Every structure is written in structure tokens, then in C-alpha cells.
Amino acid sequence: MATFLEAPNDSTLRGYLSLEAEAIPAQVRMQFAENLSQAKAASETVTTRFFDWAWPDEFDDSRIATIALWVRAMTAFQGAVILVERGLVAEAQVLIRTGAECLFFSGALFREPGLLASMHANDERHRRTQANAIVRDGRLLARISERNAEFLHQLAAAPDGGISTLTAERAAHVAGMDDLYQFAFRGYSFTAGHATLRSLEFVTIEDGDNSGIVFGPTFAHVGQTLDTAATFFQAADALLQSLISGWGG
């Protein structure tokens, strides 16, 4: 299996679905044992608290959305740890970014339940934008049924509800997580979430004669990504404690 200094075009690098890739988790667990242990311990702490929570008997729509978004965030953070163990570090950062966004919106709804209307406005505007793009493109419209085409025409013609949308940046601010927005959401957008030159460091090696393209694990930023996951598990735990104390149960 490839290590840090092996040639980037080593014959053992056959992508992440190869049999050779099955050995990656063992190497990550050995080389990054402390980082991995801290991330998993932070996850265990917050998940234990969640499942020990005696939920209130009734929830309104805003509270349901708050908890659902919190769960989505936790799923993403745990998924990121799994991806890191497989050597898919860039993909793990993308998933952390997704989880961060869910956590921001969850925290914002907890503090200001009325923002649920803005989230509905977000959904409707995205759907309307997509519908408009399809009905304007005859090639796309020809691929769908007459019934679905009629639905898209109606959706595209629907009036804007006039409610302002809720951005991830504003949600983070309302949730009191501005630092996490700048630290990971914006940062991982640049390093892994989009097709930037910076993102290419996950598939290249700069190591003298061994420099080149890698289709397989390079282990770039494994420890840092695991530490970030741990940070977000802790942030999710802090929000969960606020939910428990604020809502009871």
C-alpha cells in the first residue's frame, strides 16, 4: 500500500474501490491514532447525551426541523470520520462542510424559530429557479412527461412569496457560530468543496522525484480533518445541551 513517500504512480494505487484500498483504514488508525481517538470520543459523548435525552411529548414544526438538522449534521460528521479512515480526506472535508451548514441552521432555528419561514422560502426559490431553467431549455423539457412539464410550468410561474431567504452565513451568526463558519465552512469550501487549485493538493504529491498525480491515498491533512470533526462534535454537543435545557424533557 502507498505510504507518504512512495512513488505517486505506484502500481498498488488502483483507486478507492480496489482490494488494495482495504488496507487503508488500518494504516490511518495506526498513524493517526490520537486524532482518531479524540474524534470518536467526542462523537460518543454527544451521541450518548442525545439518546439519553427524554424528549418532550410534543414538538412544533420548527423544533422538529431543528432536531432533524442537528441529526443530519451529526450524520455528516460521523460520515466524515469514516471517509478519513478510508483515505478520502477531501471528501471528508466536503462532508464536514455540509454538516456545519446543517448545524448552523439548527442553531439558528433554536434561537429564532420564526426563521423556519425563511428556510421554506429558500426551498421554494431553489425549486423555482430549477423549474425556470428546465422550461426554458427545450432539450430538458423533452425528456420529461407532459404531466411533469405542466407541473414545472406552474412552479416556474409561481410568485415569489416575498420572504427573505436564510443564508448559511446569517444562520451561523444567529446560532452564535461565526467562528466555525469562517474556520471550516468557508475554509473547506476553498480547499475541498469546489474545483479550486488549492483542492488539487489531495491528488498530487510534491516530493522531489516522487512528485506527480495520485489516484489513491496521500493522507494529506488527515490529522487536521479529524481534529476539525472533533471540534464540530463538541459544537453539536453544546447545541444539544442548549436544546435540552431550553426545551426540557
Side-chain angles (χ1 to χ4, degrees), residues 56-236:
D57 293 333
E58 295 184 4
F59 286 100
D60 58 22
D61 288 346
S62 180
R63 289 187 177 186
I64 291 172
T66 298
I67 296 177
L69 284 163
W70 186 93
V71 171
R72 276 212 64 208
M74 283 294 300
T75 301
F77 301 146
Q78 291 182 337
V81 173
I82 293 172
L83 289 179
V84 171
E85 286 186 298
R86 302 290 299 183
L88 289 156
V89 185
E91 292 69 24
Q93 290 190 1
V94 172
L95 204 50
I96 289 175
R97 183 178 181 272
T98 297
E101 184 171 4
C102 291
L103 196 66
F104 299 155
F105 279 87
S106 177
L109 283 181
F110 170 65
R111 291 193 173 189
E112 295 186 24
L115 289 175
L116 185 63
S118 293
M119 291 195 67
H120 280 301
N122 284 2
D123 288 1
E124 291 304 312
R125 286 195 176 96
H126 282 300
R127 294 177 66 213
R128 193 160 48 247
T129 297
Q130 183 182 26
N132 271 292
I134 294 174
V135 299
R136 288 197 302 264
D137 191 323
R139 295 171 301 174
L140 292 175
L141 205 57
R143 297 177 185 175
I144 61 178
S145 68
E146 183 177 340
R147 179 180 178 181
N148 286 339
E150 177 60 27
F151 170 76
L152 290 174
H153 277 290
Q154 293 177 1
L155 181 59
D160 189 310
I163 300 175
S164 62
T165 57
L166 180 62
T167 65
E169 184 173 14
R170 184 184 171 212
H173 179 71
V174 173
M177 300 180 185
D178 297 279
D179 56 335
L180 294 177
Y181 177 87
Q182 298 299 337
F183 168 57
F185 183 84
R186 187 184 293 278
Y188 281 178
S189 175
F190 176 56
T191 62
H194 297 288
T196 62
L197 293 177
R198 175 69 183 277
S199 71
L200 302 184
E201 65 185 339
F202 291 102
V203 293
T204 58
I205 285 181
E206 294 295 334
D207 183 38
D209 293 339
N210 286 335
S211 298
I213 303 297
V214 177
F215 186 11
T218 62
F219 304 107
H221 307 300
V222 167
Q224 186 266 351
T225 304
L226 287 170
D227 292 346
T228 301
T231 296
F232 273 100
F233 283 131
Q234 292 161 3

Side-chain angles (χ1 to χ4, degrees), residues 4-55:
F4 291 104
L5 298 180
E6 285 182 359
N9 293 317
D10 190 289
S11 62
T12 64
L13 297 178
R14 300 179 184 275
Y16 291 92
L17 295 180
S18 65
L19 290 176
E20 293 82 3
E22 296 299 322
I24 295 173
Q27 186 170 350
V28 172
R29 291 166 191 159
M30 178 182 65
Q31 294 186 0
F32 301 94
E34 182 176 354
N35 308 89
L36 190 58
S37 176
Q38 290 176 351
K40 289 187 174 182
S43 173
E44 179 66 18
T45 295
V46 64
T47 52
T48 298
R49 193 185 312 280
F50 179 76
F51 286 106
D52 285 345
W53 180 19
W55 292 16

